[in-house]
């Protein structure tokens, strides 16, 4: 059984394209201030039309390619936020004014694709993740993603609480605060999520997910490991939820993959979720060399493998969301909040 799990967890998914698997793009749909516009390739030209069929612009596709190469070159030569006036002129000329989707929308772009296997054209929503800058966020930190733990086994004075909360002098201050609590004999016991909406969204997915995530957060503090693939390996070995592992079933990996897929394509922590995916197409990943890879939800196994092998936990700022601070509750109990934030390599 150990070898079985090793084979599963050592399967690192590389971002390499499959040469003979592609999805022809029929049309790109964009919501702009002029309304919904269609971008379609016709006779080596990109034709921009309104939904009523009114042609707004016809421009050689080679111009798009040239401008895209210019944009990629400038991005790779700069850091942080910066303006690119020459590219902005071109974007305005092609009616491209909205640079990003709303933060509440998982869909960054809508595309009509042709599926060569089914011979069907389908409108799909995709989330775009870029490797050109910093690592992409899969799940943003917020008050809604706070996991609340009770500190048991120790009684701390106000001064001891203040001393632990003031530990800020190292890069590993969260781990140092955690170790300070353990050093005084305290243990963290998962109590609840601060946000009942996120709690119910997780329960709808799988009733064990709140406890599984809580154990992931604790394991990160204990081991210093951040990648979900390695943390899941740790949980599989320690089996904190006491699953029957005699048949070698990958309980933790399956549930965590299901969580990542739901977060990637539809679920928002602070919004009631009905189980439907907004980004029903999957992910478009922009590599550092400008190559675009499609992780289509039709190929769910590959999509989930991509998320699972590239996701890692990131610690949010201790100055926000009461993260990693000891809090004395009204009933005298002590709480310690850990925040659940996920990024992609």
């Amino acid at each position: 059984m150990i070898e079985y799990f090793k084979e599963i967890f050592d399967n690192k998914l590389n971002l390499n394209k499959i040469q003979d698997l592609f999805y022809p793009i029929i049309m790109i749909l964009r919501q702009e201030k002029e309304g919904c516009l269609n971008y379609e390739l016709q006779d080596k030209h990109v034709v921009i039309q309104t939904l009523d069929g009114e042609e707004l612009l016809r421009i050689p596709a080679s111009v798009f390619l040239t401008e895209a190469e210019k944009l990629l070159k400038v991005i790779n030569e700069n850091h942080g936020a910066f303006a690119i006036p020459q590219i902005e002129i071109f974007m305005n000329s092609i009616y491209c004014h909205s640079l990003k989707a709303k933060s509440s929308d998982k869909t960054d772009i809508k595309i009509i694709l042709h599926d060569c296997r089914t011979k069907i054209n389908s409108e799909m929503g995709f989330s775009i993740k870029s490797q050109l800058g910093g690592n992409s966020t899969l799940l943003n930190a917020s008050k809604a993603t706070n996991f609340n733990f009770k500190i048991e086994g120790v009684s701390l004075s106000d001064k001891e609480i203040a001393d632990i909360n003031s530990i800020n002098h190292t890069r590993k201050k969260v781990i140092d605060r955690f170790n300070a609590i353990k050093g005084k004999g305290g243990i963290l016991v998962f109590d609840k999520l601060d946000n009942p909406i996120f709690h119910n969204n997780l329960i709808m997915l799988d009733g064990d997910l709140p406890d599984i995530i809580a154990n992931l957060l604790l394991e990160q503090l204990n081991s210093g490991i951040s990648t979900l693939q390695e943390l899941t390996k740790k949980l599989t070995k320690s089996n904190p939820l006491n699953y029957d592992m005699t048949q070698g079933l990958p309980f933790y990996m399956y549930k965590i993959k299901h969580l990542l897929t739901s977060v990637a394509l539809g679920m928002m922590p602070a919004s009631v979720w009905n189980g439907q995916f907004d980004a029903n197409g999957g992910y478009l990943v922009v590599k550092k060399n400008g190559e675009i890879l499609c992780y289509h939800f039709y190929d769910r196994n590959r999509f989930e493998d991509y998320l699972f092998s590239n996701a890692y936990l990131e610690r949010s700022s201790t100055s926000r969301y009461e993260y990693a601070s000891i809090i004395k509750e009204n009933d005298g109990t002590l709480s310690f909040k850990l925040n659940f934030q996920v990024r992609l390599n």
Side-chain angles (χ1 to χ4, degrees), residues 34 88 102 140 160 177 179 222 250 260 310 328 341:
E34 293 85 1
E88 290 182 23
K102 297 178 181 178
N140 283 314
E160 287 174 315
R177 292 181 187 183
N179 287 335
N222 279 309
L260 294 177
N310 287 280
K328 180 177 283 189
Q341 180 175 355

Side-chain angles (χ1 to χ4, degrees), residues 209-273:
L209 273 175
D211 289 298
I212 289 176
I213 296 173
N215 278 282
L216 286 173
L217 295 171
L218 289 177
E219 185 59 50
Q220 182 193 28
L221 290 181
N222 279 309
S223 65
I225 295 171
S226 294
T227 63
L228 280 179
Q229 193 170 24
E230 289 300 315
L231 289 172
T232 303
K233 184 190 297 186
K234 290 279 189 180
L235 292 196
T236 299
K237 186 174 181 180
S238 63
N239 192 18
L241 273 72
N242 295 315
Y243 293 129
D244 180 0
M245 309 296 280
T246 57
Q247 297 174 346
L249 294 174
F251 290 101
Y252 295 95
M253 183 174 67
Y254 174 83
K255 294 170 187 286
I256 292 170
K257 280 186 174 182
H258 192 29
L259 167 65
L260 294 177
T261 300
S262 300
V263 168
L265 301 183
M267 186 178 73
M268 306 287 285
S271 301
V272 175
W273 187 49

